[in-house]
Amino acid sequence: MPANIPLLQENLSKLPDGVGRPTYDRTPLKTGIVHVGVGGFHRAHEAYYTHLLLEAGKAKDWAICGVGLREGDRQMGEVLKQQDFLYSMIVRHPDGKIETTVIGSIVEFLLGPDNPGAVINRMAAPETRIVSLTITEGGYNVNPATGAFDFDNTDISHDLEHPDAPVTVFGYLAAALRKRRDEGREAFTVQSCDNVQHNGDVTRRALLAFTERLDPGLAEWIGANVRFPNAMVDRITPRTTPADTNYLQQEFGLKDEWPVTCEPFMQWVIEDDFSDGRPAWEAVGAQFVPDVTPYEKMKLRLLNAGHSVLGLLGAIHGHETIDGCIADPLFAGYLRDFLDKEATPVLDTVEGIDLQAYKDSLIERFGNPNVKDGLARICAESSAKLPKFLIETIRENLVAGGSIDYSALIIATWCYYSDTHADRFGKPLEVIDEQKEELQKAAKETTEDPLAFLRQEELFGDLVKDERFGSKYAELVERLYADPDVGVLMREVRKGS
Ligand code: CS2
């Protein structure tokens, strides 16, 4: 395809038939949602649900203003701006079918570091009724073991001292909500879209802890007026690669600087608890339920934990993607056993949810050979993920006398990975983690003290004191350090169970 069509509103009509595009008029849309953290996931999930609703003519007041709070968000803002805030979503099916759609629900983007006041004003504007968040598991600034808000964070101290020029999401939310209160407006809903159990409650507690220090009167107003719906969010969204941009170029002559690619599956289960109205997302597949607990627990402890299982073991073994792991019977078998023998027994059974079928579908989704989900993305920020995805499962199995061997090997592998930053052949691995240095320091002591990694209280609480877990972990980590061929240990764990 020789043409080279830059992605722009005025070029939409020039795109070949194979590309879906907004058929709604974007000009009169009102911005009802301000979203903090515009990455792949937001663009493949909330922004897509909202796009579908705009297509159905049901969301004219709910277009999205993207917000970045970090310097690292600048590039996304620039690309979106340059493309009239349009981007392509490439959905890759397991049978090779690919669907491409240009999404039009984002209509604006603001970067906090450039102009904090503009972000505060946008959030405080009368038409804004929801501020939604994908700020990652680690973004809630709470101690993973105790759940307490971390006031030692220097950015939080900054925001307490400079409430009109904040840098953290809590500073922004507090400033915008204060403005709304002072100007006599309704509060907006704060809607978390992160993989955190009871993500709404966690956001609420964090924001209240912060504002109580800042301004107790405001905290009281927030407590009484702001709603924080809990939600389970799901769609596997790998990092965009040059293969994605090249695909659009070659197939359609379309030049999009930053498309998003994802699997066909998507799910969004939300508690219907909004301060000032919401889009009718149920019309395009979202589920509104009174209590999201069973859904989120199931998803975090099966899907997300399952990802970490494959990510950590697979990285050390030398695999590169999730589908590559599933194609290896040892890994597919280990994952299924972990899900059946350790994750499932401590999940509540829920009427209407068939856990066996859910697990079957997970393995199918992970195995999608066209979604090349890199293990580096999965392993990134494990220190924020594992306390939420895996460590609770271990703790509950210890109480119930259940199996813990599969999990012990995963933690041992995490230790090895944090120490060596290399796979079993010595090939360097990309390690991205806010706690990278602390993790490595603790892991390095393993040869002297096999339990050193487990002694990190912030991550593991008092797990190290459990004799059964400690001795299994110590045995596995020592063997892994002696011979990092993790496959041997995986086979043994499976045999022993
Ligand atoms: C992944 C998630 O971050 C991770 O490790 O497990 O990003 C996962 O792909 C999504 O939660 C799927 O909904």
Side-chain angles (χ1 to χ4, degrees):
M1 173 77 54
N4 193 4
I5 312 169
L7 182 52
L8 286 173
Q9 181 69 37
E10 64 181 33
N11 288 344
L12 288 181
S13 58
K14 298 184 195 148
L15 294 178
D17 287 348
V19 186
R21 71 211 72 178
T23 58
Y24 46 91
D25 182 0
R26 295 171 76 221
T27 356
L29 301 181
K30 282 210 239 157
T31 304
I33 302 172
V34 173
H35 182 80
V36 181
V38 182
F41 182 71
H42 170 69
R43 298 193 302 153
H45 195 260
E46 182 181 357
Y48 177 55
Y49 276 96
T50 308
H51 167 85
L52 289 176
L53 212 51
L54 285 162
E55 282 294 356
K58 291 182 177 164
K60 290 192 172 56
D61 295 343
W62 295 106
I64 301 170
C65 169
V67 163
L69 297 184
R70 296 173 174 209
E71 209 31 63
D73 299 315
R74 181 176 296 280
Q75 200 192 344
M76 177 61 82
E78 280 172 3
V79 167
L80 286 173
K81 241 174 245 169
Q82 173 193 319
Q83 301 186 162
D84 295 333
F85 308 99
L86 296 165
Y87 61 93
S88 325
M89 185 181 79
I90 307 168
V91 179
R92 297 180 188 277
H93 292 256
D95 63 2
K97 186 171 106 185
I98 304 180
E99 290 166 297
T100 304
T101 314
V102 173
I103 309 297
S105 53
I106 301 181
V107 295
E108 210 181 327
F109 188 96
L110 297 169
L111 191 75
D114 278 352
N115 187 348
V119 173
I120 295 169
N121 287 340
R122 191 9 112 211
M123 289 179 174
E127 65 195 50
T128 301
R129 292 191 277 161
I130 294 176
V131 175
S132 56
L133 316 174
T134 42
I135 55 174
T136 78
E137 296 82 6
Y140 291 83
N141 195 50
V142 291
N143 179 307
T146 64
F149 193 72
D150 177 13
F151 283 102
D152 294 336
N153 177 341
T154 50
D155 286 342
I156 294 294
S157 320
H158 171 278
D159 285 5
L160 289 169
E161 277 158 35
H162 305 95
D164 297 326
V167 295
T168 76
V169 66
F170 304 104
Y172 276 102
L173 290 172
L177 287 164
R178 167 152 45 199
K179 197 158 173 0
R180 292 185 87 98
R181 179 197 62 178
D182 293 350
E183 292 175 4
R185 288 193 204 122
E186 298 277 340
F188 49 67
T189 299
V190 180
Q191 184 173 20
S192 167
C193 302
D194 280 298
N195 288 313
V196 171
Q197 195 162 342
H198 303 322
N199 53 13
D201 298 347
V202 169
T203 315
R204 180 176 195 275
R205 273 199 303 275
L207 183 61
L208 286 179
F210 174 79
T211 28
E212 258 150 32
R213 284 267 173 108
L214 182 75
D215 172 350
L218 178 62
E220 204 174 305
W221 187 82
I222 291 176
N225 294 283
V226 179
R227 316 307 300 175
F228 299 82
N230 293 309
M232 179 266 247
V233 293
D234 194 4
R235 188 168 215 182
I236 295 173
T237 312
R239 287 185 188 155
T240 306
T241 66
D244 301 312
T245 37
N246 291 343
Y247 169 76
L248 295 176
Q249 180 91 45
Q250 277 155 18
E251 197 63 24
F252 306 114
L254 171 61
K255 201 164 165 292
D256 180 342
E257 299 291 338
W258 204 337
V260 62
T261 185
C262 57
E263 63 168 344
F265 181 92
M266 60 179 195
Q267 194 175 13
W268 198 5
V269 189
I270 316 167
E271 288 179 3
D272 201 354
D273 183 21
F274 287 73
S275 317
D276 189 17
R278 61 164 176 82
W281 283 310
E282 70 276 21
V284 288
Q287 296 158 258
F288 283 92
V289 297
D291 179 10
V292 84
T293 314
Y295 299 91
E296 58 181 10
K297 217 164 161 182
M298 168 183 85
K299 194 255 168 172
L300 296 170
R301 291 181 180 205
L302 297 175
L303 187 151
N304 295 111
H307 258 168
S308 296
V309 170
L310 297 179
L312 291 164
L313 298 171
I316 297 303
H317 187 74
H319 284 308
E320 287 187 353
T321 59
I322 291 290
D323 68 295
C325 291
I326 293 293
D328 176 340
L330 173 63
F331 279 72
Y334 193 94
L335 171 67
R336 184 72 201 213
D337 276 358
F338 161 79
L339 297 174
D340 289 344
K341 296 180 178 170
E342 298 195 358
T344 310
V346 289
L347 278 181
D348 328 302
T349 46
V350 189
E351 212 184 307
I353 299 186
D354 177 347
L355 284 179
Q356 290 305 329
Y358 184 77
K359 287 184 279 191
D360 292 344
S361 85
L362 278 190
I363 292 183
E364 231 177 277
R365 290 169 62 196
F366 286 3
N368 184 334
N370 303 308
V371 171
K372 295 284 170 219
D373 199 5
L375 301 188
R377 178 185 88 83
I378 301 298
C379 295
E381 305 304 340
S382 285
S383 65
K385 293 175 181 172
L386 294 197
K388 298 182 171 78
F389 302 165
L390 180 68
I391 296 171
E392 280 308 301
T393 292
I394 300 176
R395 236 186 274 287
E396 290 173 22
N397 273 316
L398 287 169
V399 172
S403 164
I404 45 95
D405 294 7
Y406 288 81
S407 301
L409 181 59
I410 297 153
I411 305 288
T413 308
W414 184 25
C415 171
Y416 182 84
Y417 171 96
S418 304
D419 184 352
T420 61
H421 296 183
D423 71 10
R424 67 185 163 128
F425 307 112
K427 187 172 149 227
L429 292 169
E430 182 191 9
V431 178
I432 305 165
D433 202 300
E434 286 252 342
Q435 301 292 316
K436 183 172 162 180
E437 278 160 34
E438 291 83 346
L439 290 169
Q440 193 173 34
K441 188 165 171 278
K444 284 248 169 277
E445 287 166 23
T446 300
T447 36
E448 302 289 305
D449 166 13
L451 293 176
F453 193 70
L454 216 50
R455 293 193 203 283
Q456 299 175 94
E457 220 181 305
E458 258 204 41
L459 298 175
F460 299 107
D462 59 2
L463 203 57
V464 69
K465 294 196 187 129
D466 186 279
E467 225 275 302
R468 183 157 77 97
F469 190 78
S471 60
K472 190 73 208 171
Y473 170 82
E475 174 204 325
L476 291 169
V477 85
E478 281 181 314
R479 293 195 45 204
L480 196 60
Y481 270 68
D483 176 4
D485 187 353
V486 73
V488 172
L489 296 175
M490 289 167 74
R491 275 188 206 98
E492 275 186 33
V493 168
R494 289 192 73 195
K495 252 196 227 134
S497 69

